[in-house]
Amino acid sequence: VHSLASASLTGTTLLARQGGAMSTARSRGSDGRVVEQVPPSPSPTALLRFPLSDKELNLKAVNTILSSAQSREKALKIVQYSAKLLAYCLVRAAGNLPSLGKHFEGLAKNLSTARRFFKFFRWFKHFEDIADACAEKDSSFKQLLYLDVAANLVADVAEDITSLEKVGILKKGVLPKRTEYYSNWCQLVLAVVEIMVSRIKAQRAREKASAPGASLENKRKNSLAQLELSKYYSDLVKAFWDCELSFANEFAFILSGLFAALVSTHKYALKVLK
């Protein structure tokens, strides 16, 4: 009995308190006395986590996200396409609502112009992707990655040229009338290339996630890869409207833009929080 009592005092005993929903640990210290350790209470925001991550969505995380220019630009994109959606519905409504719809149309256009300031010189970042393309072992996929870098550079430079007139740096009429139209076609080609690249990346991520004993990290990467692929499909639908194709639909264009904005904001917010 004496030996059992000593063993129970020497070991650590966990007592669950139902009223306070807290566990208390007891252990014997170096001086022979029993020491009671109470773990810190969880943060009130501990249950509010950023989707597909372990990051808590608290005030510090929100400030970190907002400090990133890319995250703020994508957040503006959400507001822009939300305004477009409201305008689309209100303009087609009865009564005085169409006038309110015109207001939201103007808001969406202003937000589109504001976003262009954030996107200037965005094409510089694509030079970093060359190293990833060089490191790729699959020769056919490597060539596709090089094509992806080139398509991104051309599309972003073309958008910058268009933005020079859109934001008022250049006087209207300096650039050819169809400059924006051809820039939109660059975006359409880019969307097709991005879909080809993302499908391969998504397939690789799915294989890792479906392997026996796959880690939570690999499963999350798979979910993110599938989301990114769906985002590029949305970009393609959006490009159909921008390129004025006969089968394009404005409502599909707005919904695709809004979905792409949500996915992109989540993607860049995760990068900032890492």
Side-chain angles (χ1 to χ4, degrees), residues 28-165:
R28 185 180 294 278
S30 58
D31 57 355
R33 283 188 278 180
V34 176
V35 180
E36 185 177 273
Q37 296 176 336
V38 180
S41 58
S43 169
T45 59
L47 298 178
L48 187 61
R49 297 190 182 278
F50 205 73
L52 298 177
S53 76
D54 292 323
K55 300 294 183 181
E56 290 186 19
L57 193 58
N58 50 26
L59 182 60
K60 182 179 179 181
V62 171
N63 285 330
T64 303
I65 293 171
L66 292 177
S67 66
S68 167
Q70 283 183 319
S71 299
R72 291 166 70 181
E73 185 264 318
K74 297 304 178 185
L76 278 178
K77 188 176 180 180
I78 294 176
V79 181
Q80 175 193 345
Y81 280 94
S82 296
K84 273 184 174 291
L85 183 59
L86 278 172
Y88 181 88
C89 297
L90 291 173
V91 166
R92 289 159 177 78
N96 296 324
L97 293 178
S99 61
L100 186 60
K102 293 293 183 181
H103 165 75
F104 282 109
E105 276 186 358
L107 174 61
K109 288 180 181 179
N110 290 336
L111 288 170
S112 176
T113 303
R115 287 179 53 228
R116 289 179 180 273
F117 284 101
F118 285 96
K119 293 191 287 183
F120 271 123
F121 303 108
R122 185 176 58 176
W123 45 273
F124 268 107
K125 70 176 183 179
H126 300 303
F127 289 109
E128 297 179 359
D129 299 330
I130 297 176
D132 293 334
C134 292
E136 175 58 42
K137 296 179 180 179
D138 189 312
S139 58
S140 58
F141 188 46
K142 178 185 287 190
Q143 298 302 318
L144 188 57
L145 289 175
Y146 283 133
L147 177 61
D148 184 47
V149 172
N152 270 289
L153 284 170
V154 172
D156 285 352
V157 170
E159 188 173 17
D160 274 8
I161 293 172
T162 305
S163 296
L164 291 174
E165 188 172 278

Side-chain angles (χ1 to χ4, degrees), residues 174-232:
V174 173
L175 298 176
K177 291 182 179 180
R178 302 293 276 176
T179 300
E180 185 177 9
Y181 174 77
Y182 293 122
S183 173
N184 291 335
W185 271 98
C186 292
Q187 294 294 334
L188 191 150
V189 173
L190 173 61
V192 174
V193 175
E194 291 284 24
I195 288 171
M196 295 167 64
V197 172
S198 292
R199 286 186 66 181
I200 296 174
K201 289 182 177 180
Q203 183 180 356
R204 290 180 176 181
R206 190 185 301 112
E207 289 173 357
K208 290 182 179 180
S210 58
S215 64
L216 177 61
E217 182 182 1
N218 283 334
K219 291 179 179 178
R220 285 175 173 172
K221 285 182 178 180
N222 176 48
S223 298
L224 291 170
Q226 305 307 323
L227 272 176
E228 187 168 25
L229 177 58
S230 63
K231 182 260 181 190
Y232 290 127

